[in-house]
Amino acid sequence: MSDFGRQIIDWYKENKRVLPWRSTQEPYRIWLSEIILQQTRVAQGLSYYERFVKEFPQVEDLANASEQEVLKLWQGLGYYSRARNLHFAAKQVVEDFGGVFPRDYKSIKSLKGVGDYTAAAIASFAFHLPHPVVDGNVYRLLSRYFNDDTPIDTTQGKKQFQAYADELMLTDEIADFNQAMMEMGAIVCTPKNPSCETCPLQNSCSALKEGSQLELPIKAKKVKVQDRFLHYIVVDANGYYLQQRDDKGIWRNMFEFPLIESQKEEEDISVLAKKEGFEILGSPLYETKHILSHQKLHVKFWKAKADEAVLEKYIQVDHLEDHAIPRVIDRFLEEMMEKV
DNA sequence: AAACCGGGGGG
DNA sequence: CCCCCAGGTTT
């Protein structure tokens, strides 16, 4: 006598937020929104969604763009592999599926950047196929509903919570069921201050009964953060001298100032810069810490000069509108503009 | 199974 | 300051 699905769907219909991707059944737009929203809050992704739809109204428009155009529009959102995969997948739709978005779960999942969660979201929202979504919100909601302390970041945990969702889903209202689970996780069953007193599941939630809701879900692994020391060389000249990052590590294929990375905080940057042909002028123009999920970047920007023979190795641009750059460099440029 | 991949905002 | 978010790919 599980009323789980009925209760969350009824709650959802009364409490759902109005969001642009909820008022369309176009698979292209639903897919786009899902990629943007991976590991990203609605408030942060909203403006990016609007800009992508405006710039690339159809999947063909996205497929015909250059990777740099896509990265540039993605700039500031992070996890840039999503943008490259999005672009790649748009070309898959055009070339492998004749420009028609695939309509079955397996084909949807064959698109680059589309895993179990995203395939289930597209399949259910666009085509009403009975695939429950299991994302961070759902792990939290179900681990609490069943008071289950199986770690969610293990193979066993993924199978366990997928099985719960398979059992609970209402197949003939799958789109609302899936939206309801995620909206519950986003609005009611939140990580820190869940609204248990207004929750539609308060009479059947096992964690609330045990008072364990704040301890769930359990994660087994702990992330270790690596410290890195980045020194960007800003050559004092007309325009900017840039280099393109290679195809591995953070910020793949994006643009940056000439970079010197030191192993320790206190290394003599002038000496390291000299080896690359740059003469450092004065103290750092700007320094900051840039925190990623797995790296802590200690970033300094140095004014420098160099011979023409050295500068030849870099890309000279007058303005940066056509180049995707990391947020930390963008922020440095904003900082410099204010001082002028 | 583990490593890797950004940036922002809430508390 | 810490936590974690509408995850997926590569190794």
Side-chain angles (χ1 to χ4, degrees):
Chain A
M1 171 31 251
S2 174
D3 295 332
F4 180 92
R6 185 74 271 134
Q7 285 173 328
I8 65 170
I9 290 173
D10 289 347
W11 172 88
Y12 172 69
K13 288 177 175 172
E14 293 297 319
N15 296 278
K16 67 179 182 182
R17 293 168 291 180
V18 176
L19 298 170
W21 46 85
R22 284 180 173 165
S23 54
T24 179
Q25 292 222 53
E26 285 183 53
Y28 168 63
R29 293 192 178 201
I30 290 168
W31 164 61
L32 179 59
S33 74
E34 292 300 335
I35 301 300
I36 288 173
L37 291 170
Q38 286 169 5
Q39 303 295 95
T40 303
R41 286 188 172 79
V42 167
Q44 192 189 354
L46 202 46
S47 68
Y48 285 85
Y49 174 80
E50 302 286 11
R51 276 180 281 154
F52 267 86
V53 167
K54 186 174 182 185
E55 193 75 18
F56 307 117
Q58 307 292 332
V59 67
E60 288 83 2
D61 303 313
L62 183 57
N64 290 334
S66 71
E67 183 178 281
Q68 275 302 313
E69 283 181 275
V70 179
L71 277 174
K72 184 65 191 179
L73 204 55
W74 197 270
Q75 180 176 309
L77 200 50
Y79 280 120
Y80 297 96
S81 290
R82 291 185 291 168
R84 282 191 303 277
N85 291 342
L86 184 79
H87 184 224
F88 187 95
K91 291 193 280 192
Q92 281 181 285
V93 172
V94 170
E95 291 167 16
D96 299 349
F97 298 100
V100 179
F101 211 94
R103 293 179 161 272
D104 64 282
Y105 182 83
K106 194 172 178 183
S107 299
I108 293 168
K109 207 185 146 183
S110 76
L111 299 174
K112 192 93 162 168
V114 176
D116 290 325
Y117 161 74
T118 307
I122 298 169
S124 63
F125 300 153
F127 307 120
H128 301 282
L129 298 173
H131 294 272
V133 292
V134 183
D135 73 337
N137 287 309
V138 175
Y139 281 122
R140 192 167 55 250
L141 180 69
L142 297 184
S143 67
R144 289 172 176 174
Y145 185 73
F146 292 108
N147 192 30
D148 190 328
D149 61 0
T150 308
I152 62 172
D153 56 349
T154 60
T155 303
Q156 187 193 346
K158 292 182 202 312
K159 286 179 63 177
Q160 173 76 358
F161 289 99
Q162 179 71 46
Y164 283 141
D166 286 336
E167 187 62 30
L168 290 171
M169 70 172 164
L170 299 189
T171 57
D172 51 357
E173 298 176 77
I174 190 63
D176 281 344
F177 175 83
N178 280 343
Q179 291 284 10
M181 283 206 295
M182 293 193 286
E183 195 78 339
M184 280 286 293
I187 304 295
V188 177
C189 201
T190 53
K192 289 298 174 58
N193 290 103
S195 303
C196 301
E197 64 282 356
T198 62
C199 179
L201 300 170
Q202 57 183 267
N203 292 323
S204 48
C205 176
S206 298
L208 179 59
K209 192 173 178 182
E210 301 296 324
S212 58
Q213 64 271 27
L214 295 181
E215 316 300 322
L216 296 168
I218 299 292
K219 283 191 181 177
K221 304 181 180 70
K222 43 194 172 290
V223 272
K224 52 176 183 290
V225 178
Q226 178 193 5
D227 283 275
R228 296 177 67 181
F229 305 96
L230 307 184
H231 302 273
Y232 281 120
I233 307 302
V234 184
V235 173
D236 185 27
N238 292 328
Y240 304 96
Y241 288 93
L242 302 177
Q243 60 186 9
Q244 187 168 21
R245 292 183 66 85
D246 58 25
D247 199 31
K248 56 188 176 190
I250 61 173
W251 305 328
R252 297 209 291 272
N253 298 357
M254 295 174 73
F255 289 84
E256 64 184 356
F257 294 117
L259 169 66
I260 293 169
E261 182 165 1
S262 62
Q263 296 309 308
K264 293 179 296 187
E265 178 85 74
E266 60 277 2
E267 256 176 290
D268 192 333
I269 302 311
S270 293
V271 173
L272 295 175
K274 199 79 178 177
K275 292 178 184 171
E276 307 294 329
F278 294 103
E279 184 183 344
I280 298 291
L281 306 170
S283 51
L285 292 165
Y286 178 67
E287 49 188 296
T288 187
K289 292 180 177 59
H290 191 68
I291 311 296
L292 308 180
S293 57
H294 51 295
Q295 296 182 18
K296 182 174 183 178
L297 308 179
H298 305 253
V299 187
K300 294 182 180 177
F301 294 83
W302 302 83
K303 187 175 175 180
K305 63 179 181 180
D307 293 336
E308 191 57 39
V310 172
L311 295 178
E312 271 179 4
K313 295 186 288 189
Y314 297 92
I315 304 154
Q316 186 180 16
V317 300
D318 294 327
H319 45 79
L320 294 167
E321 281 75 11
D322 296 331
H323 295 76
I325 58 178
R327 188 74 184 98
V328 68
I329 293 179
D330 197 28
R331 187 171 288 129
F332 159 73
L333 293 167
E334 288 173 4
E335 206 68 29
M336 291 301 104
M337 291 302 183
E338 284 179 18
K339 289 182 181 174
V340 173

